[in-house]
Each structure stands twice: as structure tokens, then as C-alpha cells.
Amino acid sequence: MHVDDTGETDRTVAADRLITMAERAFMRAEFGVVRPLLQRLQNEFGAPDTDVTHEADGTAVRYAVLRSAIAARAENWQAAVGWFPDGDDLDPVETGVVHALAVGALRRLSEEGRHAEAGTAALAISLWAYLLDEEDPGDFRALLTGRRGAAVADELWEEARRQLLGRVTDLLHALDVRAGRDALAAWETAWEAEFVAPVVVLADAGAEGLIPLGHAARHLMEQGRRPALLDAYATRHPLLSNWTVDSPDHRACAYPLARALVARGQDRVRSGEWSEALTDFGTAVRLGHTLATADRAAVLRAGRSVGRGRNGQGYSSIARIHGLELAHALLPQDGSLSAELTAELVRQGRKVRHNDPGQSRGRFERALVVSPGDKDARSGLDDHLRVDLFLAVDGAQPREEIRPDTVQDLLLRDPDYAPARAWLRDHYTAQAVAEATAGHTATARSAVRNLIRYRGEEGRYEETGVDVVLVGLLVAAARSAGTKRTRTGLERRVDLLSTALAVAGGPADSPLREEHTEAVLALAEHLEAKASPSDVIELFLRDRMRTGASARFDRTVEAAYLRRAEAREEAGDAGGAQHDRACATRIGAGLPDQGLLFGPTPGHCKDDSGQETLF
């Protein structure tokens, strides 16, 4: 095995020699020689990018850059970008090859009327950032010295380097302006960031940017370009309230955005833009920022000053409340902010009490949330409640808009306020009737107990007397409903009296049962005159009154069955007509409700299907 003086094998020495010959041929512009040398390298030693030996001595990187440079010479920039190695150290590569490729990429980008490719821009940025690095890792200065044939003085080198940096920057900026890219997607931003740390990855370069969005945001912030960062981000995401660290859309940029907002908030406090500063601090906190001592001091100053204007002029209660709310949310434990917010809410609540009662009530309610024990806020709400109670008791306002617990609380503070007691009496009366008719007897009895309490009659009734009061309420409601000689009113009257009978029980000849019988009869006769026979029959089948209790009711139901029988017969329903006539006969005969165990069921004819026997 042949080795060189360093101990390397012939394979490594031969591969290095071939790639060196190809690089020198490229720099001599002997491009027709470069391709055969690279092909020979691949044929004899395999593809450099898959050979461990080549990786060790940098041959793979040198090979890839040469292939990229040859493709660029042929104007095949897609291939040039594809061959260029991502994230690899360019130190082993001949600087002249890197320089030639870098110049070609810039020329490509500067061609008039040509669409600028993101991959080519990323390639140019990577190459020129490497060549113009302050530490000169590729010894670009030595290349220039060799081509000039004389040393490059320090001052001349620095000047030339600055000019080159400026030319690249100006070109990228012009391309950004032409394409309308914002600071976050700007190629100029990627160019600047590449000098801090290599971040451009050719494979990831796209129309939306050459570097990750979060990295671009951090770079803009670190370079003191926070206005550009905030303007670009606000244009992309106009809804500021959605800027939160928990959102996938904002997580990548949350940290630099928060820092930029805090810095802008501090500036705005210094310039007296109080509300805007508080908005910035609030957004920064949503993005995960923890307020430092200086931040809290700025928030406190803005909160105390917001809405006051300058020199006592321009006072705005609305702006002041909004700003104090923002400051209070940021510093909830600060007692001075809570006190100022509460006072402003109460002041505004009083100011609009008559022309905007809803807003006034809302201000007082919010003040009590901020300062639960504030007497002025409680007094303001009580005044509103007194007006509501007066109107409700007078019938000028819906009762449902008032909550019983608020009325009870008012009575604790003002036990002698009569409208409150009247409202509660009416409320529990309506509740008792509604719950009883719905079948919730226990709840209805509880409402009656509350009614007795607010009547001031706690000692007058034993527990058994609660049902007496409930029956009285139901009867009174029934009599009121019965005054409306409509079907709805009459049906309501029957339901209420039926519920009263169920609660009271009592003998068959009691006044309550007589009143119930009269109510059912009145409804039946109304249905006979205004509705269909089936409606009368349905009332009968609901078992509101048994057969034989009222001859008038029996005749009304009998007539309804006969009328429906005629209608069914005319419609061709002989079976239905026969069934209806049979029911009419039983009712007319006054048969009792109890039927035979095996046989036809006299009485109510509840089985309306014609099946009248068990077997």
C-alpha cells in the first residue's frame, strides 16, 4: 500500500489530488477540465457525499461546492442551490471557488426584470457572510492579495469590506422593497442575522422568509429595530387581543415581541401616552412577560395619570376607567389603583344615572367587584333597585328583571322599605302558584312560607296552615283567570282549581268542589260552542269531572260524542261512529265509573280505539 509523507493512504491522497486539480482548473477558467476530473473522482472513489474518507478531509464539501459552482456557470441556479452543502464548514473549500459562486449569485439577483429566487438569495447570503466575516475564516484577504500582487493594507481592507457589505445590503434591501417583504420576511434581515450566527438553511428558504420567523423577530429586537418588528407583526396580526404566548400562531415570536412591547411601553410612559403604554404592558404580559420593578412603576404612573390630560385639561372619565382597568389587571394587589378605579366607576355611575341607567348600574356593579365593601357603590345600586321595585310593584316594569336575592339584601340594609316587601310578597305568591300547578308541591309550600314571612305573619300559621294559604292563592288565581272568558282563561281556571282540590282534599259537597264543577262545566260549554266535539271529549277524558256529578256536563259530553259520531259516519268511519254512539249511550244512562272485570267498560269510555273488553 502506498502512503504519502503524512501517513495517508493512496486513496485519500489521490482523491485530494483530483479535487485540488479540479479547483485549480476552475479558477483558471478551464471549465471543460473540471467536469471530467469530478467524474473521474466519482468513478474511482465513489460519490464523495457518501464516503466516510471524503467526509474526514473535507473532500465532500469541496466536491459539492464545485458542482454548485459549475451549475451556476451554466445558469442552472436550481441545481446550484441543490448541490450547495447546508450547514457545512467551508474552510476546506478553495476561497476562489467560493468567491466565484458568490459573485455569480449576486449577479443573478441583480438582473433586471428577473424574478429573484429565494434559494439564490439564501446562497448569496451564506457565501458573502462567510467571505466577509470579521475573522476571515476563508482567508478572503489573502485571495485579494494574490490577485492584486501586493499586500492589502488594513485600512484598505476594512474600507473594501465595508463597501462590499453595503453593496450586498443595498441590493437585498432593494429586492425586499420591490417584492413588498416586511422586516420579518426581509432578505436584508436574514443577511444581518447570518453575521451573528449562521441561520440560513437553503433547503428551508422560501417565499415567506429565508430564516425562521422567531429568529427574525429576535434579531430585529437585538439590533434595536423594535419599531420595524412591531409594525411588521401588527400588520400580519392586527387583532392585538389574540397575541398570547399560549397561541401556536404567536408562540415563536412571543419573547422578542414582549421585550419590544415593554420597551415601547416605557417610551410611551415617558411621552405621556398613558393608555397606549398600558396596552403595551398588558399585551407583553399575555405574551409571557413578568413585570419587573421598573415595569410596575411605569404601569402605576400610567394608571394614575390616564385620562387626566395635561395641566388639568382634557379630563375623560371613559378613558380614565379604561386605563385604570388595564392598570388594575396588571397590578391587582395595588390598593391605590383599586381605590382610584372604584372612585371613578362610582363617579361615572352617578353621572349617567338618569340618562343611561343600564351603564350606571354596570359601573356600580363593577365598583363592588373591585372593592366589595365600597359604601358609595352599594348605595348607587340600591338606588337603582328602589326605582325598579317601585316601577315593578306599580306594574310599569317587568318583575322578572329583578332578582329576589338582591331585594332580600336590600331589606337587610333597609328593613322598612315597603316596596321591597311588597315585591317579595308578589314574587312568592306567583312562585307558589306556578310550582303547585307544575306538580312541585314541596317547592310551592316553601314559597308560601316565604310569603308568610314577608307578610309579617310568621306566628299566625302552623305548618298545617301552609296548605290553607296555598289553596287560597290557587283559588284567587283561578278567579282572576276565569274573568277572561277565553279558552285559555277558562282552561287556566280549571287547572288552578284542580290543583287546589288536590292540595285541600275535602268532601264532595265543599264550596271548593262546587266551584271546580262550575269551572269545568263553563269550559265544556265554551268548547261546545267555539271548538270541535273532540275538544269537549278530550276534556272529559282528562277526568276533570266524573260521570253523574253534573247533569249539564253529562249532556254536553253526550252531545259531543253524538256529533262526532255523525261526522265519522259521513267520513266512512263506521267503526268509529259506532264506538262514539256507544259512549254517548253509557254517559246518557249515567252508568257508574266502575266497569265489569271482564266485559265492556261503562263510564268514561277512556278506550277510544274500539277495544272495549279484556278478552
Side-chain angles (χ1 to χ4, degrees):
M1 179 183 294
H2 298 287
V3 297
D4 67 358
D5 56 2
T6 65
E8 293 181 294
T9 65
D10 282 341
R11 178 181 176 84
T12 303
V13 173
D16 179 74
R17 182 177 297 115
L18 284 173
I19 199 72
T20 300
M21 291 170 62
E23 288 174 337
R24 290 175 180 173
F26 183 91
M27 288 185 290
R28 290 194 304 267
E30 297 174 355
F31 304 114
V33 177
V34 177
R35 284 186 181 276
L37 288 171
L38 294 179
Q39 188 61 48
R40 179 182 170 187
L41 174 67
Q42 182 172 346
N43 292 341
E44 294 186 11
F45 302 102
D49 58 341
T50 62
D51 193 293
V52 177
T53 305
H54 294 317
E55 293 290 347
D57 65 357
T59 304
V61 176
R62 296 163 70 193
Y63 174 85
V65 174
L66 264 175
R67 290 294 301 265
S68 178
I70 289 295
R73 289 288 305 176
E75 295 295 322
N76 188 351
W77 285 96
Q78 183 175 0
V81 172
W83 270 108
F84 193 83
D86 274 334
D88 284 305
D89 186 2
L90 295 177
D91 290 356
V93 183
E94 182 64 44
T95 303
V97 179
V98 175
H99 179 251
L101 184 54
V103 171
L106 274 189
R107 286 175 179 167
R108 172 75 172 186
L109 292 176
S110 60
E111 290 177 359
E112 290 292 337
R114 182 181 292 278
H115 176 70
E117 303 98 339
T120 307
L123 181 60
I125 288 171
S126 297
L127 292 169
W128 282 106
Y130 170 75
L131 290 172
L132 298 177
D133 190 289
E134 288 183 349
E135 298 181 1
D136 196 16
D139 210 0
F140 186 36
R141 186 174 179 178
L143 175 68
L144 296 180
T145 299
R147 291 182 177 180
R148 289 178 75 247
V152 181
D154 290 345
E155 292 182 1
L156 182 59
W157 164 250
E158 289 300 330
E159 182 181 354
R161 181 175 175 276
R162 282 195 300 271
Q163 287 181 352
L164 276 172
L165 283 169
R167 289 176 61 185
V168 176
T169 301
D170 291 344
L171 173 60
L172 294 174
H173 177 73
L175 293 172
D176 286 333
V177 172
R178 185 187 306 169
R181 283 184 285 270
D182 62 21
L184 285 165
W187 292 355
E188 183 183 0
T189 302
W191 164 244
E192 293 173 350
E194 187 75 359
F195 278 92
V196 179
V199 291
V200 175
V201 179
L202 271 65
D204 296 337
E208 295 183 358
L210 304 182
I211 61 176
L213 188 64
H215 199 107
R218 285 192 295 275
H219 173 76
L220 291 172
M221 184 58 199
E222 289 164 0
Q223 295 302 310
R225 297 180 59 194
R226 58 174 172 79
L229 165 61
L230 292 173
D231 289 346
Y233 204 82
T235 301
R236 293 182 177 208
H237 305 280
L239 196 57
L240 204 66
S241 59
N242 286 346
W243 293 18
T244 64
V245 70
D246 296 326
S247 169
D249 293 336
H250 304 289
R251 191 175 299 135
C253 297
Y255 178 68
L257 278 176
R259 289 176 57 202
L261 286 164
V262 167
R264 189 173 70 178
Q266 293 284 4
D267 290 346
R268 284 176 161 174
V269 167
R270 285 188 283 271
S271 62
E273 300 174 61
W274 314 117
S275 293
E276 295 83 354
L278 290 168
T279 298
D280 280 346
F281 282 116
T283 307
V285 168
R286 289 201 309 276
L287 289 169
H289 178 73
T290 300
L291 296 178
T293 301
D295 302 333
R296 291 195 293 271
V299 168
L300 191 58
R301 181 184 175 192
R304 289 172 173 170
S305 306
V306 66
R308 284 180 168 166
R310 297 180 182 274
N311 301 321
Q313 302 298 318
Y315 175 86
S316 170
S317 180
I318 302 300
R320 183 150 174 74
I321 288 174
H322 176 69
L324 283 168
E325 288 281 16
L326 292 175
H328 176 68
L330 292 169
L331 302 176
Q333 305 304 321
D334 189 279
S336 62
L337 280 177
S338 298
E340 289 195 48
L341 175 57
T342 301
E344 197 61 50
L345 287 166
V346 169
R347 188 180 298 115
Q348 180 68 9
R350 289 172 174 169
K351 181 179 178 181
V352 299
R353 175 181 172 184
H354 297 293
N355 59 344
D356 194 343
Q359 183 189 126
S360 174
R361 184 181 289 105
R363 297 299 191 196
F364 289 131
E365 288 174 347
R366 175 58 185 158
L368 282 175
V369 172
V370 177
S371 301
D374 189 80
K375 294 181 179 179
D376 292 334
R378 172 54 63 192
S379 176
L381 268 184
D382 283 352
D383 289 342
H384 276 293
L385 182 55
R386 287 187 178 93
V387 172
D388 292 343
L389 288 169
F390 179 81
L391 294 174
V393 171
D394 200 40
Q397 178 174 302
R399 308 178 59 85
E400 294 77 12
E401 295 180 0
I402 304 173
R403 299 199 317 271
D405 57 327
T406 61
V407 183
Q408 291 167 344
D409 289 343
L410 175 62
L411 276 178
L412 293 176
R413 294 184 292 274
D414 187 0
D416 298 327
Y417 189 62
R421 289 186 172 276
W423 186 91
L424 286 170
R425 290 195 296 269
D426 292 345
H427 169 75
Y428 285 117
T429 295
Q431 185 184 48
V433 171
E435 294 293 341
T437 53
H440 307 147
T441 308
T443 307
R445 286 172 175 145
S446 177
V448 170
R449 294 185 191 96
N450 283 323
L451 170 62
I452 292 171
R453 171 188 170 193
Y454 288 107
R455 281 178 176 176
E457 300 174 346
E458 293 93 329
R460 290 185 55 188
Y461 294 93
E462 299 292 338
E463 189 62 26
T464 55
V466 169
D467 281 355
V468 175
V469 176
L470 178 56
V471 170
L473 296 177
L474 290 165
V475 171
R479 290 170 180 170
S480 175
T483 59
K484 301 175 184 178
R485 307 300 291 183
T486 63
R487 177 171 178 171
T488 301
L490 293 171
E491 286 178 337
R492 173 70 172 160
R493 180 187 176 196
V494 169
D495 288 343
L496 288 164
L497 290 173
S498 297
T499 303
L501 273 178
V503 173
D509 58 349
S510 68
L512 176 57
R513 192 170 296 278
E514 291 178 3
E515 187 170 351
H516 174 264
T517 299
E518 182 60 33
V520 174
L521 180 59
L523 174 58
E525 291 175 344
H526 178 85
L527 293 175
E528 182 182 34
K530 303 289 186 180
S532 69
S534 293
D535 290 321
V536 177
I537 294 169
E538 181 182 355
L539 173 65
F540 168 67
L541 294 176
R542 287 169 59 195
D543 208 17
R544 292 302 191 189
M545 187 187 304
R546 297 297 181 91
T547 305
S550 168
R552 285 171 56 193
F553 181 72
D554 291 349
R555 285 195 299 271
T556 301
V557 176
E558 179 185 7
Y561 269 114
L562 291 173
R563 284 170 57 201
R564 194 171 75 173
E566 292 176 2
R568 284 181 167 180
E569 191 169 49
E570 291 178 2
D573 182 8
Q578 182 181 4
H579 173 268
D580 282 351
R581 286 195 178 92
C583 288
T585 300
R586 295 188 189 103
I587 294 170
L591 295 178
D593 294 330
Q594 293 78 14
L596 300 175
L597 182 60
F598 303 106
T601 304
H604 288 330
C605 299
K606 292 182 181 179
D607 183 357
D608 202 26
S609 66
Q611 183 180 347
E612 299 176 348
T613 59
L614 186 60
F615 297 106

